[in-house]
Amino acid sequence: MKRKLDLRGGRPVWFSYRASSVPAGKLTRDVKTDVLVVGMGVSGAMATEALTRAGHSVICIDRRGPLKGSTSATTALVQFELDQPLTKLSASKGKADAEQAWRRSRLAVINLSGRVAELGIDCSLTCLPSLYLAGNLLRPAELQEEAEARRQAGIAATYLTRQALAERFGIHRAAAILSHGNLALDPRKLTAGLLLRSLVRKARFHAPVEATAIEHGRGQISVGTSLGPTITAQHLVLATGYELTDLIPATAHRIVSTWAIATGRQADKIWPGAALIWEASDPYLYIRATADGRVICGGEDEDFTDETRRDALTADKSKRLAAKLGSLFPRLDVGPEFAWAGSFGTTTSGLPYIGALPGHPRVHAVMGYGGNGITFSQIASEIVASAIGGRDDTDAELFAFRRS
Ligand SMILES: Cc1cc2nc3c(=O)[nH]c(=O)nc-3n(C[C@H](O)[C@H](O)[C@H](O)COP(=O)(O)OP(=O)(O)OC[C@H]3O[C@@H](n4cnc5c(N)ncnc54)[C@H](O)[C@@H]3O)c2cc1C
């Protein structure tokens, strides 16, 4: 049924913080449910929480186990600022759609932070300013246009000159956009928190269990599993991350490789406001701090999938990331205490595909693609929960597989 990947290599920093364990039982007999969610990473957890909140009975399965996929490798900058600058997205998708995608992402980040507060999930979530630095993709004049485009769309953005950036943040670069309202969090604690809240609402978790076949019946879906038993559901939600099922059109996405490092704790050397920092450049660079003062720096993406080659490059990529971090912040101790690599799914448009699969109205894809993966997982949980509840989401068409 699917393409399998070794999703990550090395040791992500999140393993040094304790996330609650999520119990998952064996699957020993055929079972029935309203909704079957395949995948217990952050996308599956968000969908499950939204669906159980709406009163649906939900079963989740995962072929590895909860929190064992790319969710543990993410650097978890949860931004409404999309990887695709608004000006560039407008050029490819049209101004109205591009502005709407940006606004929906802004709402998703607000909704996620409200959801975490309402559920009382302790996931070290902080709301932070961000700096989008001029780079080889957007020079200062283009960055100024980008800030203006965002303001026209109703999204606050302040253009900082070289001098203002140096005075306010001690960063010596040509220019930046300053924004507010992005999030940083611990992705494993968030995912475990969402799953555990769903468990209280009687969600059932089975792992390791792999979905191996999907059959469509009248008004229901039957999913065969690696262990033998079949799960029958009214709706199927595929939250399988970058291991996409064959039902999902392969042309829609590609898998690349990416790397990240985390330094030791250095709270007193963190830059003003602990702003999230990312660069309008290729190769990509982004930086954040953890709540206890480590600095995470990621990027250096390469356009290949091969996991052995990816992991073999980790030492070299770590050095490059540390050097870039040191050139931006000379006072930091940039030596990596953690270094890891991951596979990473992107789409050509930069927007994810979310919703019912073409020709399969009861099979929904909930996918976090690209550098905004977690923001997109939040949007997906909203759109898919609406669809399963029989309601329309005003932005469903924007992210649909069959969008115009
Ligand atoms: C290094 C790195 C840095 C990143 N940084 C950021 C960032 O800063 N901000 C951001 O928003 N995003 C970022 N991302 C992207 C983000 O990590 C992903 O969008 C997110 O983790 C995807 O979560 P998921 O739940 O969809 O996938 P996963 O966590 O991979 O979960 C999918 C699960 O499905 C299971 N599964 C697959 N197939 C089957 C099957 N047939 N049967 C049963 N189970 C199955 C897998 O075992 C897996 O556990 C980053 C990614 C990487 C690798």
Side-chain angles (χ1 to χ4, degrees):
M1 160 175 153
K2 59 180 21 283
R3 284 154 256 164
K4 290 184 183 168
L5 279 171
D6 186 1
L7 292 166
R8 54 187 165 81
R11 188 158 181 258
V13 66
W14 309 115
F15 288 101
S16 66
Y17 307 100
R18 208 187 72 79
S20 306
S21 75
V22 178
K26 290 184 177 157
L27 186 67
T28 51
R29 57 183 174 85
D30 293 353
V31 281
K32 282 194 171 177
T33 181
D34 292 347
V35 188
L36 169 63
V37 175
V38 181
M40 295 175 75
V42 68
S43 304
M46 284 183 177
T48 302
E49 194 282 322
L51 289 162
T52 52
R53 185 171 2 122
H56 301 285
S57 69
V58 178
I59 290 180
C60 297
I61 59 170
D62 196 297
R63 73 181 187 90
R64 296 182 173 84
L67 285 64
K68 294 217 162 109
S70 5
T71 293
S72 290
T74 180
T75 45
L77 292 84
V78 184
Q79 291 179 265
F80 68 82
E81 297 176 270
L82 300 183
D83 278 356
Q84 278 286 327
L86 180 52
T87 42
K88 303 238 184 237
L89 196 59
S90 293
S92 63
K93 304 282 301 173
K95 190 165 181 264
D97 279 1
E99 288 185 342
Q100 192 50 29
W102 267 71
R103 281 194 288 258
R104 181 60 185 250
S105 298
R106 182 87 182 90
L107 284 176
V109 169
I110 294 170
N111 289 348
L112 175 58
S113 113
R115 188 176 188 181
V116 166
E118 198 175 305
L119 294 167
I121 297 173
D122 174 9
C123 59
S124 309
L125 181 146
T126 41
C127 184
L128 296 168
S130 73
L131 290 168
Y132 185 38
L133 305 181
N136 60 16
L137 288 182
L138 293 185
R139 307 283 178 194
E142 292 156 315
L143 210 60
Q144 206 162 5
E145 278 170 32
E146 172 70 13
E148 181 51 33
R150 292 188 195 181
R151 284 192 295 268
Q152 277 179 22
I155 297 169
T158 304
Y159 177 77
L160 299 182
T161 60
R162 180 186 288 278
Q163 193 185 348
L165 182 60
E167 282 170 9
R168 291 178 66 175
F169 292 93
I171 293 175
H172 299 279
R173 285 295 170 87
I177 293 176
L178 171 63
S179 302
H180 296 274
N182 289 300
L183 308 174
L185 49 79
D186 179 325
R188 298 179 81 245
K189 289 185 179 178
L190 170 67
T191 306
L194 291 165
L195 289 171
L196 291 172
R197 298 308 182 276
S198 308
L199 202 57
V200 173
R201 300 179 191 136
K202 307 273 186 274
R204 286 170 284 166
F205 301 157
H206 298 287
V209 177
E210 180 172 343
T212 50
I214 301 175
E215 276 184 32
H216 304 257
R218 245 196 229 134
Q220 63 179 35
I221 310 273
S222 292
V223 174
T225 66
S226 49
L227 298 182
T230 298
I231 305 172
T232 307
Q234 288 167 30
H235 291 272
L236 170 63
V237 172
L238 295 171
T240 58
Y242 305 139
E243 295 179 306
L244 301 176
T245 70
D246 299 337
L247 290 179
I248 293 176
T251 47
H253 74 283
R254 69 198 163 93
I255 306 287
V256 304
S257 295
T258 189
W259 290 267
I261 57 168
T263 70
R265 294 184 179 88
Q266 39 196 332
D268 58 330
K269 296 181 190 161
I270 302 294
W271 51 96
L276 305 179
I277 295 170
W278 54 307
E279 207 178 51
S281 54
D282 186 13
Y284 194 45
L285 184 77
Y286 58 89
I287 301 166
R288 62 164 280 194
T290 59
D292 60 353
R294 295 182 189 277
V295 178
I296 297 176
C297 175
E300 283 292 313
D301 299 7
E302 296 248 12
D303 200 359
F304 67 79
T305 308
D306 184 285
E307 298 101 318
T308 311
R309 189 174 155 208
R310 179 196 72 197
D311 293 349
L313 278 173
T314 301
D316 186 42
K317 292 289 188 181
S318 306
K319 280 191 202 134
R320 295 170 76 100
L321 287 170
K324 285 183 174 177
L325 184 58
S327 85
L328 204 59
F329 294 114
R331 270 174 14 97
L332 284 181
D333 301 326
V334 295
E337 277 191 11
F338 298 84
W340 67 99
S343 296
F344 192 65
T346 61
T347 62
T348 12
S349 67
L351 295 184
Y353 289 86
I354 293 169
L357 299 186
H360 304 282
R362 291 178 177 274
V363 183
H364 311 262
V366 173
M367 292 187 296
Y369 277 125
N372 301 102
I374 299 171
T375 305
F376 292 151
S377 300
Q378 169 69 27
I379 296 176
S381 74
E382 295 167 4
I383 289 179
V384 168
S386 289
I388 290 176
R391 298 183 312 280
D392 286 335
D393 183 297
T394 46
D395 294 329
E397 167 66 20
L398 196 56
F399 302 105
F401 280 85
R402 282 218 178 106
R403 59 201 181 209
S404 43

